[in-house]
Amino acid sequence: AYPTSTSAAAAAAARSGAGRCHDLLLQARQQLAVCLCCWQRCGWWPDCVGALLGHYPSASEALQQIQAEEADARAKGDRSAPPRPAPCQGPRQLLAALFALGDVCPPEWPAPGASQQIAATADAAAAAGGPRPAVAFDRPTHMQLRSKIAGSCECHMAALADLVSWGAAAESKLVRAALVRLCVKAGSLGGGMSPFLVPLLLEVLREQLDAAIKAQQQIKAQLAKMAAAGQGAAAQQRALQAALPNAPQLSDGRKVIELLIPLASKPGFKAALLEHKVVGMLAKYLHKLANRSKEDSQCHPVTGLVLQLLAALCNPDVSMSPNAPR
């Protein structure tokens, strides 16, 4: 087992008077993380990651063959293929999987604050008149465990994608915080995790924006139809007030933007975001927010978040320069 800053913070909160029940819950969570790490290290079957994601061994080889054929048909774009089945876990199980996977993954690498420490050391050496030291991070720990977890995640990409998509669209800040923690740790497993996770988050954002734009178009069409039928402004206003509360809004993208802001400070995620041309996507989103801000006050804080994300992505000193202070 290895200590994490999150567990240490939770332990401090429990000792500060949060209650004995919170302390016992934290202890149980740490013990579960130790057991899951042993499970993953020993390579027992079924694998730990698959069990957390709800993939339990099936006694029917024929059923597994059918599921594999359906997955291949969906991957090839066959329209006659059945859609992907719904997640086999409920919200509580999905939240528990987010926390458990985050606990099992080894600590983030490079460690938080490593860049600042290296930059401070280099500045001190330059101030003393000496040569700037070469930038070198400590080697990542638990390399065998990282490799095993990455291999298990590769075998359950579909379930992991469902978990990430569910967490990104959740309204709960607890769920999205657990997802950010998992993404940061998973990004330290290998170079392929960041390019895998970023498109999933962007797809959720794209779906939210498309749903909001479609809802606005439908509302405008309904109001135009009412005006053509000769209905007055009062009736149109009542219809508008009845439709807006249940309609998707442009401000719904805030949930994904709040996830991308901390991830953009990580080199792997920032590179993946730039490779997927997220700057252009955010610029279009910003334009739509500006047009909608007069009618929807919720667009103002989202506009600030989008600008903050764009500033981090467009600044070469963030996550790109080894000697940068951030």
Side-chain angles (χ1 to χ4, degrees), residues 223-234:
L223 295 178
K225 185 177 180 180
M226 294 176 66
Q231 300 186 26

Side-chain angles (χ1 to χ4, degrees), residues 97-98 101-102 105 160 163 177-187 197:
L98 279 176
L101 286 173
C105 289
L160 185 60
L163 179 64
L179 177 58
V180 169
R181 175 173 177 260
L182 174 60
C183 289
V184 170
K185 287 193 169 186
L197 294 171

Side-chain angles (χ1 to χ4, degrees), residues 104-130:
V104 172
C105 289
E108 175 189 355
W109 183 86
S115 298
Q116 294 89 327
Q117 183 178 1
I118 290 177
T121 303
D123 292 341

Side-chain angles (χ1 to χ4, degrees), residues 100-289:
L101 286 173
D103 291 338
V104 172
C105 289
E108 175 189 355
W109 183 86
S115 298
Q116 294 89 327
Q117 183 178 1
I118 290 177
T121 303
D123 292 341
R132 296 184 67 90
V135 176
F137 295 108
D138 295 335
R139 290 178 57 84
T141 57
H142 308 282
M143 289 298 299
Q144 183 180 5
L145 181 60
R146 292 177 190 269
S147 177
K148 287 182 176 292
I149 294 177
S152 297
C153 290
E154 187 176 358
C155 297
H156 303 282
M157 284 298 190
L160 185 60
D162 291 337
L163 179 64
V164 173
S165 300
W166 172 80
E171 185 65 33
S172 171
K173 291 185 178 180
L174 177 65
V175 172
R176 287 183 282 124
L179 177 58
V180 169
R181 175 173 177 260
L182 174 60
C183 289
V184 170
K185 287 193 169 186
S188 302
L189 296 177
M193 289 303 296
S194 299
F196 168 72
L197 294 171
V198 165
L200 299 177
L201 299 176
L202 296 181
E203 182 62 26
V204 175
L205 177 61
R206 189 175 293 107
E207 291 177 355
Q208 292 174 342
L209 300 184
D210 291 343
I213 295 172
K214 184 178 180 180
Q216 290 180 8
Q217 293 174 348
Q218 291 176 348
I219 292 175
K220 290 181 180 179
Q222 181 183 359
L223 295 178
K225 185 177 180 180
M226 294 176 66
Q231 300 186 26
Q236 296 180 28
Q237 186 65 24
R238 287 195 298 269
L240 181 62
Q241 292 177 354
L244 282 179
N246 299 323
Q249 302 294 327
L250 279 174
S251 56
D252 292 342
R254 165 189 55 82
K255 294 178 286 189
V256 180
I257 298 298
E258 289 177 346
L259 296 175
L260 296 179
I261 288 176
L263 294 179
S265 64
K266 310 300 178 183
F269 284 98
K270 182 173 181 178
L273 287 169
L274 294 176
E275 184 177 353
H276 284 81
K277 301 179 180 179
V278 72
V279 174
M281 180 181 180
L282 293 175
K284 295 178 181 178
Y285 185 26
L286 193 63
H287 177 69
K288 296 184 181 299
L289 286 171

